[in-house]
Amino acid sequence: TPLLRSIDAVNEQGTRLLRLLGNSSAKRVTCTVGAEQEYFLIDESFYHLRPDLINCGRALFGAKPPKGQEMEDHYWGSIRERVLSFMMDAESELYKLGVPVKTRHNEVAPAQFEVAPVFEGSNIATDHNMVLMEVFKKTAQKHGLRCLFHEKPFSGVNGSGKHNNWSLADHEGNNLLDPGTTPNENKQFLVILTAVIRAVNKYGALLRACIATAANDHRLGANEAPPAIMSIYLGDRLSQVVESIITGKADPGNSSRTIQIGVSNLPELPRDDSDRNRTSPFAFTGNKFEFRAVGSSQSIGWPNTVLNTMAAESLDYMATRIEEEMKSGLDLNAALATVVKSTLTENHRVLFNGDNYSVEWHEEAERRGLPNLRNTVEALPVLATPETQALFAKYRVLSKDELLSRSNVMFEGYCKTINIEALMTISIGTTMILPAALEYQSRLASSIVQTKAAMASLDLAPQEKLLRDVVDRINKLKIALEQLDAISREADESDSDVLAHARFYQSKVIPAISSVRVIADELETMVDDSLWPLPKFREMLYIY
């Protein structure tokens, strides 16, 4: 319902702006979305041996495999027959249900893949994406596989996102974010582009909050995932256009329209002006914006509700400003030039084409005053601010009570997710990993004693050191498990407000879970492979 309300808000303000720009034929402005879906596939036999995957969706334990995604050979390799068979069956089921998928390929991490649909209206795209996830899960089981949608099921390799490709169109399907061959002369495009830039700059913290979950916190800022700082990538060509508008200097135009291959029997190829920046959370990619920060397990309904409402407010702002300039005596073209230039000047701090992972960008973003909400606990309070409440109330998308209720539910979901992970960490650590390590310790000790009895003169210092190292880690693991149990009980007994409760989980429980994992993962590299109770990453990521 909030999504449908936000779509109506965009329609109302979008058609108003188009009318002002002289477009009298457009009957409606719609939001279009294409949600690329990333996921992992593992053999079902491994899945049944991993209680953490069953209960939490991610591996709470697991040492880094000797080979991860360093070679990128999975990304560039062909799709394995078993996986291709699953994909074709899943696509067939989706076609029967009217879900138009069109793209399939390997992703960067081993055992990771992606599917993408044809663009649709925002609300239909949301429904279809949820159907897709369900169909993929069921079809994978028919092939002896398990489909994982968690944002970070395996630490140390690429996480999974749901790249939300968002644009605007009129009732005939004309893309309002299509720059054409001369974007510097496309007034309609420049006005709407400016509106989106302003929306992301003004409501960047809210955009960050709408993709804030415990699972997505593991992914943001890691391999192939954007950082928590919301910025816009425009590409070189559009950046030139924006700069020329702000400075008032002549647009240099597109100096390089083709790619020179340098081979006589191959033709010159046209160069795409948009290019891509996979480190950007909000990138312009030709005729749409790719919101890359959305998590793979999320419904796209809430992120698009936020995005649409932000856009509606900025479209409203642009239309109002243009009307005011025209009332002051300017003609339409002069009013557009004035409003676009001033709005871009005020909001261009959010534009960044470089490496969003770099330390330099984080420092520069801080100087620019861009919010850097590093985790869910920092991000969700944005929903309770007067500015956010006023935004949603103005366009009748969410009332104050509806917004606060949603915020409370999201905080509660965050706390419960981490609590489940804590309890599962204690369970696996106590009943599976600790007994295996103790058995290995016993075998080592027995071997050393027997060897000493048989060959008293033999130097057993290296073996004794190994035993000491194992004993040391077993002791540390037992202590870490006890500490995690105590902290988890303290969290359960807390009766504080939702924000304080979430902060406790973020600052106390998560570090305690991590401490257990670090020690357990060290033991995984030491304990006899035949004793280790959990399938390892080196197996799950490569045997499927």
PDB file of all heavy atoms in Angstrom, residues 132-165:
ATOM      1  N   LEU A 132       9.736 -14.726  -7.913  1.00  0.00           N
ATOM      2  CA  LEU A 132      10.993 -15.287  -8.418  1.00  0.00           C
ATOM      3  C   LEU A 132      11.782 -15.970  -7.300  1.00  0.00           C
ATOM      4  O   LEU A 132      12.281 -17.094  -7.470  1.00  0.00           O
ATOM      5  CB  LEU A 132      11.828 -14.174  -9.056  1.00  0.00           C
ATOM      6  CG  LEU A 132      13.169 -14.565  -9.685  1.00  0.00           C
ATOM      7  CD1 LEU A 132      13.488 -13.660 -10.874  1.00  0.00           C
ATOM      8  CD2 LEU A 132      14.321 -14.491  -8.681  1.00  0.00           C
ATOM      9  N   MET A 133      11.896 -15.312  -6.157  1.00  0.00           N
ATOM     10  CA  MET A 133      12.652 -15.892  -5.049  1.00  0.00           C
ATOM     11  C   MET A 133      12.041 -17.212  -4.592  1.00  0.00           C
ATOM     12  O   MET A 133      12.761 -18.184  -4.323  1.00  0.00           O
ATOM     13  CB  MET A 133      12.716 -14.891  -3.892  1.00  0.00           C
ATOM     14  CG  MET A 133      13.503 -13.629  -4.208  1.00  0.00           C
ATOM     15  SD  MET A 133      13.371 -12.376  -2.920  1.00  0.00           S
ATOM     16  CE  MET A 133      14.382 -13.095  -1.635  1.00  0.00           C
ATOM     17  N   GLU A 134      10.722 -17.258  -4.527  1.00  0.00           N
ATOM     18  CA  GLU A 134      10.050 -18.486  -4.097  1.00  0.00           C
ATOM     19  C   GLU A 134      10.241 -19.602  -5.114  1.00  0.00           C
ATOM     20  O   GLU A 134      10.517 -20.757  -4.748  1.00  0.00           O
ATOM     21  CB  GLU A 134       8.560 -18.204  -3.886  1.00  0.00           C
ATOM     22  CG  GLU A 134       7.791 -19.347  -3.248  1.00  0.00           C
ATOM     23  CD  GLU A 134       8.197 -19.602  -1.809  1.00  0.00           C
ATOM     24  OE1 GLU A 134       8.795 -18.706  -1.185  1.00  0.00           O
ATOM     25  OE2 GLU A 134       7.919 -20.706  -1.321  1.00  0.00           O
ATOM     26  N   VAL A 135      10.105 -19.274  -6.388  1.00  0.00           N
ATOM     27  CA  VAL A 135      10.280 -20.272  -7.451  1.00  0.00           C
ATOM     28  C   VAL A 135      11.711 -20.803  -7.459  1.00  0.00           C
ATOM     29  O   VAL A 135      11.947 -22.007  -7.615  1.00  0.00           O
ATOM     30  CB  VAL A 135       9.908 -19.677  -8.824  1.00  0.00           C
ATOM     31  CG1 VAL A 135      10.368 -20.586  -9.960  1.00  0.00           C
ATOM     32  CG2 VAL A 135       8.401 -19.443  -8.910  1.00  0.00           C
ATOM     33  N   PHE A 136      12.677 -19.926  -7.269  1.00  0.00           N
ATOM     34  CA  PHE A 136      14.072 -20.358  -7.260  1.00  0.00           C
ATOM     35  C   PHE A 136      14.351 -21.321  -6.110  1.00  0.00           C
ATOM     36  O   PHE A 136      15.067 -22.312  -6.273  1.00  0.00           O
ATOM     37  CB  PHE A 136      15.001 -19.146  -7.183  1.00  0.00           C
ATOM     38  CG  PHE A 136      15.412 -18.619  -8.529  1.00  0.00           C
ATOM     39  CD1 PHE A 136      14.480 -18.452  -9.548  1.00  0.00           C
ATOM     40  CD2 PHE A 136      16.730 -18.287  -8.794  1.00  0.00           C
ATOM     41  CE1 PHE A 136      14.852 -17.974 -10.791  1.00  0.00           C
ATOM     42  CE2 PHE A 136      17.118 -17.820 -10.032  1.00  0.00           C
ATOM     43  CZ  PHE A 136      16.177 -17.655 -11.036  1.00  0.00           C
ATOM     44  N   LYS A 137      13.804 -21.028  -4.939  1.00  0.00           N
ATOM     45  CA  LYS A 137      14.022 -21.908  -3.794  1.00  0.00           C
ATOM     46  C   LYS A 137      13.443 -23.302  -4.057  1.00  0.00           C
ATOM     47  O   LYS A 137      14.103 -24.320  -3.807  1.00  0.00           O
ATOM     48  CB  LYS A 137      13.375 -21.306  -2.545  1.00  0.00           C
ATOM     49  CG  LYS A 137      14.125 -20.118  -1.960  1.00  0.00           C
ATOM     50  CD  LYS A 137      13.415 -19.614  -0.709  1.00  0.00           C
ATOM     51  CE  LYS A 137      14.144 -18.452  -0.084  1.00  0.00           C
ATOM     52  NZ  LYS A 137      13.458 -17.943   1.139  1.00  0.00           N
ATOM     53  N   LYS A 138      12.220 -23.347  -4.549  1.00  0.00           N
ATOM     54  CA  LYS A 138      11.560 -24.635  -4.784  1.00  0.00           C
ATOM     55  C   LYS A 138      12.228 -25.409  -5.911  1.00  0.00           C
ATOM     56  O   LYS A 138      12.420 -26.629  -5.824  1.00  0.00           O
ATOM     57  CB  LYS A 138      10.084 -24.402  -5.104  1.00  0.00           C
ATOM     58  CG  LYS A 138       9.266 -23.897  -3.930  1.00  0.00           C
ATOM     59  CD  LYS A 138       7.805 -23.696  -4.314  1.00  0.00           C
ATOM     60  CE  LYS A 138       6.968 -23.244  -3.121  1.00  0.00           C
ATOM     61  NZ  LYS A 138       5.556 -23.018  -3.496  1.00  0.00           N
ATOM     62  N   THR A 139      12.587 -24.718  -6.988  1.00  0.00           N
ATOM     63  CA  THR A 139      13.201 -25.394  -8.139  1.00  0.00           C
ATOM     64  C   THR A 139      14.584 -25.909  -7.791  1.00  0.00           C
ATOM     65  O   THR A 139      14.986 -26.984  -8.250  1.00  0.00           O
ATOM     66  CB  THR A 139      13.267 -24.433  -9.343  1.00  0.00           C
ATOM     67  OG1 THR A 139      11.968 -23.881  -9.587  1.00  0.00           O
ATOM     68  CG2 THR A 139      13.750 -25.152 -10.581  1.00  0.00           C
ATOM     69  N   ALA A 140      15.328 -25.170  -6.985  1.00  0.00           N
ATOM     70  CA  ALA A 140      16.669 -25.610  -6.589  1.00  0.00           C
ATOM     71  C   ALA A 140      16.608 -26.948  -5.864  1.00  0.00           C
ATOM     72  O   ALA A 140      17.433 -27.846  -6.113  1.00  0.00           O
ATOM     73  CB  ALA A 140      17.322 -24.557  -5.705  1.00  0.00           C
ATOM     74  N   GLN A 141      15.626 -27.130  -4.994  1.00  0.00           N
ATOM     75  CA  GLN A 141      15.508 -28.382  -4.260  1.00  0.00           C
ATOM     76  C   GLN A 141      15.228 -29.557  -5.190  1.00  0.00           C
ATOM     77  O   GLN A 141      15.687 -30.677  -4.938  1.00  0.00           O
ATOM     78  CB  GLN A 141      14.402 -28.260  -3.211  1.00  0.00           C
ATOM     79  CG  GLN A 141      14.768 -27.372  -2.038  1.00  0.00           C
ATOM     80  CD  GLN A 141      13.680 -27.329  -0.989  1.00  0.00           C
ATOM     81  OE1 GLN A 141      12.954 -26.351  -0.869  1.00  0.00           O
ATOM     82  NE2 GLN A 141      13.566 -28.387  -0.220  1.00  0.00           N
ATOM     83  N   LYS A 142      14.501 -29.316  -6.263  1.00  0.00           N
ATOM     84  CA  LYS A 142      14.239 -30.385  -7.225  1.00  0.00           C
ATOM     85  C   LYS A 142      15.517 -30.847  -7.908  1.00  0.00           C
ATOM     86  O   LYS A 142      15.579 -31.956  -8.437  1.00  0.00           O
ATOM     87  CB  LYS A 142      13.231 -29.900  -8.270  1.00  0.00           C
ATOM     88  CG  LYS A 142      11.836 -29.623  -7.711  1.00  0.00           C
ATOM     89  CD  LYS A 142      10.905 -29.083  -8.780  1.00  0.00           C
ATOM     90  CE  LYS A 142       9.534 -28.764  -8.214  1.00  0.00           C
ATOM     91  NZ  LYS A 142       8.626 -28.184  -9.242  1.00  0.00           N
ATOM     92  N   HIS A 143      16.531 -30.001  -7.914  1.00  0.00           N
ATOM     93  CA  HIS A 143      17.815 -30.339  -8.536  1.00  0.00           C
ATOM     94  C   HIS A 143      18.871 -30.717  -7.492  1.00  0.00           C
ATOM     95  O   HIS A 143      20.059 -30.769  -7.811  1.00  0.00           O
ATOM     96  CB  HIS A 143      18.313 -29.154  -9.373  1.00  0.00           C
ATOM     97  CG  HIS A 143      17.510 -28.933 -10.628  1.00  0.00           C
ATOM     98  ND1 HIS A 143      17.948 -29.343 -11.875  1.00  0.00           N
ATOM     99  CD2 HIS A 143      16.294 -28.372 -10.823  1.00  0.00           C
ATOM    100  CE1 HIS A 143      17.032 -29.027 -12.782  1.00  0.00           C
ATOM    101  NE2 HIS A 143      16.023 -28.437 -12.176  1.00  0.00           N
ATOM    102  N   GLY A 144      18.439 -30.950  -6.256  1.00  0.00           N
ATOM    103  CA  GLY A 144      19.377 -31.330  -5.202  1.00  0.00           C
ATOM    104  C   GLY A 144      20.252 -30.183  -4.753  1.00  0.00           C
ATOM    105  O   GLY A 144      21.353 -30.397  -4.236  1.00  0.00           O
ATOM    106  N   LEU A 145      19.769 -28.946  -4.938  1.00  0.00           N
ATOM    107  CA  LEU A 145      20.518 -27.755  -4.575  1.00  0.00           C
ATOM    108  C   LEU A 145      19.732 -26.949  -3.547  1.00  0.00           C
ATOM    109  O   LEU A 145      18.539 -27.161  -3.350  1.00  0.00           O
ATOM    110  CB  LEU A 145      20.784 -26.880  -5.803  1.00  0.00           C
ATOM    111  CG  LEU A 145      21.598 -27.496  -6.938  1.00  0.00           C
ATOM    112  CD1 LEU A 145      21.456 -26.665  -8.205  1.00  0.00           C
ATOM    113  CD2 LEU A 145      23.069 -27.617  -6.537  1.00  0.00           C
ATOM    114  N   ARG A 146      20.408 -26.008  -2.923  1.00  0.00           N
ATOM    115  CA  ARG A 146      19.734 -25.039  -2.063  1.00  0.00           C
ATOM    116  C   ARG A 146      20.107 -23.640  -2.546  1.00  0.00           C
ATOM    117  O   ARG A 146      21.276 -23.356  -2.800  1.00  0.00           O
ATOM    118  CB  ARG A 146      20.135 -25.219  -0.608  1.00  0.00           C
ATOM    119  CG  ARG A 146      19.450 -26.402   0.050  1.00  0.00           C
ATOM    120  CD  ARG A 146      17.966 -26.159   0.267  1.00  0.00           C
ATOM    121  NE  ARG A 146      17.305 -27.335   0.832  1.00  0.00           N
ATOM    122  CZ  ARG A 146      16.264 -27.271   1.640  1.00  0.00           C
ATOM    123  NH1 ARG A 146      15.761 -26.096   1.991  1.00  0.00           N
ATOM    124  NH2 ARG A 146      15.712 -28.384   2.091  1.00  0.00           N
ATOM    125  N   CYS A 147      19.096 -22.791  -2.648  1.00  0.00           N
ATOM    126  CA  CYS A 147      19.278 -21.423  -3.110  1.00  0.00           C
ATOM    127  C   CYS A 147      19.334 -20.502  -1.891  1.00  0.00           C
ATOM    128  O   CYS A 147      18.401 -20.490  -1.080  1.00  0.00           O
ATOM    129  CB  CYS A 147      18.128 -21.027  -4.037  1.00  0.00           C
ATOM    130  SG  CYS A 147      18.319 -19.415  -4.798  1.00  0.00           S
ATOM    131  N   LEU A 148      20.427 -19.747  -1.761  1.00  0.00           N
ATOM    132  CA  LEU A 148      20.634 -18.869  -0.610  1.00  0.00           C
ATOM    133  C   LEU A 148      20.515 -17.411  -1.042  1.00  0.00           C
ATOM    134  O   LEU A 148      21.252 -16.960  -1.928  1.00  0.00           O
ATOM    135  CB  LEU A 148      22.008 -19.117   0.008  1.00  0.00           C
ATOM    136  CG  LEU A 148      22.349 -20.563   0.392  1.00  0.00           C
ATOM    137  CD1 LEU A 148      23.763 -20.637   0.943  1.00  0.00           C
ATOM    138  CD2 LEU A 148      21.344 -21.113   1.401  1.00  0.00           C
ATOM    139  N   PHE A 149      19.615 -16.674  -0.414  1.00  0.00           N
ATOM    140  CA  PHE A 149      19.427 -15.257  -0.727  1.00  0.00           C
ATOM    141  C   PHE A 149      20.008 -14.335   0.334  1.00  0.00           C
ATOM    142  O   PHE A 149      19.863 -13.116   0.225  1.00  0.00           O
ATOM    143  CB  PHE A 149      17.939 -14.946  -0.902  1.00  0.00           C
ATOM    144  CG  PHE A 149      17.354 -15.512  -2.169  1.00  0.00           C
ATOM    145  CD1 PHE A 149      16.409 -16.529  -2.119  1.00  0.00           C
ATOM    146  CD2 PHE A 149      17.754 -15.045  -3.405  1.00  0.00           C
ATOM    147  CE1 PHE A 149      15.861 -17.051  -3.287  1.00  0.00           C
ATOM    148  CE2 PHE A 149      17.217 -15.568  -4.574  1.00  0.00           C
ATOM    149  CZ  PHE A 149      16.273 -16.569  -4.511  1.00  0.00           C
ATOM    150  N   HIS A 150      20.644 -14.889   1.357  1.00  0.00           N
ATOM    151  CA  HIS A 150      21.242 -14.033   2.388  1.00  0.00           C
ATOM    152  C   HIS A 150      22.291 -13.117   1.758  1.00  0.00           C
ATOM    153  O   HIS A 150      22.988 -13.510   0.813  1.00  0.00           O
ATOM    154  CB  HIS A 150      21.887 -14.895   3.476  1.00  0.00           C
ATOM    155  CG  HIS A 150      22.271 -14.125   4.704  1.00  0.00           C
ATOM    156  ND1 HIS A 150      23.365 -13.298   4.764  1.00  0.00           N
ATOM    157  CD2 HIS A 150      21.688 -14.048   5.936  1.00  0.00           C
ATOM    158  CE1 HIS A 150      23.457 -12.759   5.957  1.00  0.00           C
ATOM    159  NE2 HIS A 150      22.442 -13.191   6.683  1.00  0.00           N
ATOM    160  N   GLU A 151      22.387 -11.899   2.288  1.00  0.00           N
ATOM    161  CA  GLU A 151      23.320 -10.921   1.719  1.00  0.00           C
ATOM    162  C   GLU A 151      24.787 -11.335   1.851  1.00  0.00           C
ATOM    163  O   GLU A 151      25.626 -10.919   1.053  1.00  0.00           O
ATOM    164  CB  GLU A 151      23.121  -9.556   2.392  1.00  0.00           C
ATOM    165  CG  GLU A 151      21.936  -8.767   1.891  1.00  0.00           C
ATOM    166  CD  GLU A 151      20.589  -9.304   2.332  1.00  0.00           C
ATOM    167  OE1 GLU A 151      20.554 -10.219   3.180  1.00  0.00           O
ATOM    168  OE2 GLU A 151      19.558  -8.807   1.833  1.00  0.00           O
ATOM    169  N   LYS A 152      25.118 -12.140   2.840  1.00  0.00           N
ATOM    170  CA  LYS A 152      26.513 -12.554   3.022  1.00  0.00           C
ATOM    171  C   LYS A 152      26.560 -13.965   3.597  1.00  0.00           C
ATOM    172  O   LYS A 152      26.947 -14.166   4.751  1.00  0.00           O
ATOM    173  CB  LYS A 152      27.215 -11.580   3.971  1.00  0.00           C
ATOM    174  CG  LYS A 152      28.724 -11.597   3.879  1.00  0.00           C
ATOM    175  CD  LYS A 152      29.227 -10.907   2.643  1.00  0.00           C
ATOM    176  CE  LYS A 152      30.733 -10.723   2.689  1.00  0.00           C
ATOM    177  NZ  LYS A 152      31.244 -10.053   1.503  1.00  0.00           N
ATOM    178  N   PRO A 153      26.192 -14.964   2.808  1.00  0.00           N
ATOM    179  CA  PRO A 153      26.187 -16.323   3.352  1.00  0.00           C
ATOM    180  C   PRO A 153      27.582 -16.866   3.640  1.00  0.00           C
ATOM    181  O   PRO A 153      27.736 -17.723   4.503  1.00  0.00           O
ATOM    182  CB  PRO A 153      25.489 -17.142   2.255  1.00  0.00           C
ATOM    183  CG  PRO A 153      25.667 -16.337   1.009  1.00  0.00           C
ATOM    184  CD  PRO A 153      25.686 -14.913   1.439  1.00  0.00           C
ATOM    185  N   PHE A 154      28.595 -16.346   2.917  1.00  0.00           N
ATOM    186  CA  PHE A 154      29.963 -16.851   3.092  1.00  0.00           C
ATOM    187  C   PHE A 154      30.914 -15.672   3.256  1.00  0.00           C
ATOM    188  O   PHE A 154      31.104 -14.885   2.331  1.00  0.00           O
ATOM    189  CB  PHE A 154      30.378 -17.716   1.902  1.00  0.00           C
ATOM    190  CG  PHE A 154      29.468 -18.892   1.667  1.00  0.00           C
ATOM    191  CD1 PHE A 154      28.563 -18.887   0.623  1.00  0.00           C
ATOM    192  CD2 PHE A 154      29.506 -19.983   2.506  1.00  0.00           C
ATOM    193  CE1 PHE A 154      27.718 -19.950   0.404  1.00  0.00           C
ATOM    194  CE2 PHE A 154      28.654 -21.065   2.304  1.00  0.00           C
ATOM    195  CZ  PHE A 154      27.760 -21.055   1.249  1.00  0.00           C
ATOM    196  N   SER A 155      31.505 -15.561   4.422  1.00  0.00           N
ATOM    197  CA  SER A 155      32.433 -14.467   4.698  1.00  0.00           C
ATOM    198  C   SER A 155      33.672 -14.566   3.807  1.00  0.00           C
ATOM    199  O   SER A 155      34.160 -15.656   3.520  1.00  0.00           O
ATOM    200  CB  SER A 155      32.855 -14.514   6.170  1.00  0.00           C
ATOM    201  OG  SER A 155      33.812 -13.533   6.450  1.00  0.00           O
ATOM    202  N   GLY A 156      34.156 -13.419   3.354  1.00  0.00           N
ATOM    203  CA  GLY A 156      35.399 -13.389   2.594  1.00  0.00           C
ATOM    204  C   GLY A 156      35.218 -13.387   1.099  1.00  0.00           C
ATOM    205  O   GLY A 156      36.181 -13.179   0.364  1.00  0.00           O
ATOM    206  N   VAL A 157      33.985 -13.645   0.617  1.00  0.00           N
ATOM    207  CA  VAL A 157      33.716 -13.566  -0.815  1.00  0.00           C
ATOM    208  C   VAL A 157      32.542 -12.623  -1.041  1.00  0.00           C
ATOM    209  O   VAL A 157      31.888 -12.169  -0.101  1.00  0.00           O
ATOM    210  CB  VAL A 157      33.421 -14.951  -1.447  1.00  0.00           C
ATOM    211  CG1 VAL A 157      34.614 -15.871  -1.320  1.00  0.00           C
ATOM    212  CG2 VAL A 157      32.176 -15.583  -0.815  1.00  0.00           C
ATOM    213  N   ASN A 158      32.278 -12.353  -2.294  1.00  0.00           N
ATOM    214  CA  ASN A 158      31.244 -11.408  -2.683  1.00  0.00           C
ATOM    215  C   ASN A 158      29.903 -11.695  -2.009  1.00  0.00           C
ATOM    216  O   ASN A 158      29.468 -12.839  -1.942  1.00  0.00           O
ATOM    217  CB  ASN A 158      31.086 -11.503  -4.209  1.00  0.00           C
ATOM    218  CG  ASN A 158      30.276 -10.364  -4.766  1.00  0.00           C
ATOM    219  OD1 ASN A 158      30.292  -9.275  -4.224  1.00  0.00           O
ATOM    220  ND2 ASN A 158      29.584 -10.615  -5.856  1.00  0.00           N
ATOM    221  N   GLY A 159      29.253 -10.650  -1.518  1.00  0.00           N
ATOM    222  CA  GLY A 159      27.904 -10.796  -1.001  1.00  0.00           C
ATOM    223  C   GLY A 159      26.884 -10.620  -2.116  1.00  0.00           C
ATOM    224  O   GLY A 159      27.230 -10.288  -3.248  1.00  0.00           O
ATOM    225  N   SER A 160      25.629 -10.839  -1.811  1.00  0.00           N
ATOM    226  CA  SER A 160      24.569 -10.781  -2.816  1.00  0.00           C
ATOM    227  C   SER A 160      23.696  -9.544  -2.627  1.00  0.00           C
ATOM    228  O   SER A 160      23.201  -9.291  -1.534  1.00  0.00           O
ATOM    229  CB  SER A 160      23.693 -12.035  -2.749  1.00  0.00           C
ATOM    230  OG  SER A 160      24.430 -13.179  -3.131  1.00  0.00           O
ATOM    231  N   GLY A 161      23.502  -8.818  -3.720  1.00  0.00           N
ATOM    232  CA  GLY A 161      22.629  -7.655  -3.706  1.00  0.00           C
ATOM    233  C   GLY A 161      21.423  -7.864  -4.592  1.00  0.00           C
ATOM    234  O   GLY A 161      21.256  -8.911  -5.218  1.00  0.00           O
ATOM    235  N   LYS A 162      20.569  -6.853  -4.617  1.00  0.00           N
ATOM    236  CA  LYS A 162      19.419  -6.853  -5.500  1.00  0.00           C
ATOM    237  C   LYS A 162      19.428  -5.483  -6.165  1.00  0.00           C
ATOM    238  O   LYS A 162      18.877  -4.526  -5.639  1.00  0.00           O
ATOM    239  CB  LYS A 162      18.134  -7.075  -4.705  1.00  0.00           C
ATOM    240  CG  LYS A 162      16.920  -7.302  -5.590  1.00  0.00           C
ATOM    241  CD  LYS A 162      15.692  -7.642  -4.745  1.00  0.00           C
ATOM    242  CE  LYS A 162      15.943  -8.789  -3.820  1.00  0.00           C
ATOM    243  NZ  LYS A 162      14.744  -9.469  -3.352  1.00  0.00           N
ATOM    244  N   HIS A 163      20.108  -5.377  -7.305  1.00  0.00           N
ATOM    245  CA  HIS A 163      20.324  -4.090  -7.936  1.00  0.00           C
ATOM    246  C   HIS A 163      19.004  -3.555  -8.497  1.00  0.00           C
ATOM    247  O   HIS A 163      18.461  -4.096  -9.456  1.00  0.00           O
ATOM    248  CB  HIS A 163      21.389  -4.200  -9.020  1.00  0.00           C
ATOM    249  CG  HIS A 163      22.674  -4.763  -8.502  1.00  0.00           C
ATOM    250  ND1 HIS A 163      23.581  -5.407  -9.299  1.00  0.00           N
ATOM    251  CD2 HIS A 163      23.197  -4.794  -7.251  1.00  0.00           C
ATOM    252  CE1 HIS A 163      24.615  -5.806  -8.577  1.00  0.00           C
ATOM    253  NE2 HIS A 163      24.395  -5.443  -7.329  1.00  0.00           N
ATOM    254  N   ASN A 164      18.545  -2.498  -7.875  1.00  0.00           N
ATOM    255  CA  ASN A 164      17.235  -1.935  -8.170  1.00  0.00           C
ATOM    256  C   ASN A 164      17.379  -0.856  -9.249  1.00  0.00           C
ATOM    257  O   ASN A 164      17.703   0.287  -8.963  1.00  0.00           O
ATOM    258  CB  ASN A 164      16.633  -1.352  -6.890  1.00  0.00           C
ATOM    259  CG  ASN A 164      15.184  -0.967  -7.034  1.00  0.00           C
ATOM    260  OD1 ASN A 164      14.294  -1.793  -6.876  1.00  0.00           O
ATOM    261  ND2 ASN A 164      14.922   0.297  -7.333  1.00  0.00           N
ATOM    262  N   ASN A 165      17.164  -1.246 -10.502  1.00  0.00           N
ATOM    263  CA  ASN A 165      17.274  -0.313 -11.618  1.00  0.00           C
ATOM    264  C   ASN A 165      15.969   0.456 -11.757  1.00  0.00           C
ATOM    265  O   ASN A 165      14.932  -0.103 -12.113  1.00  0.00           O
ATOM    266  CB  ASN A 165      17.587  -1.081 -12.899  1.00  0.00           C
ATOM    267  CG  ASN A 165      18.960  -1.722 -12.845  1.00  0.00           C
ATOM    268  OD1 ASN A 165      19.969  -1.081 -13.084  1.00  0.00           O
ATOM    269  ND2 ASN A 165      19.010  -3.010 -12.500  1.00  0.00           N
TER     270      ASN A 165
END
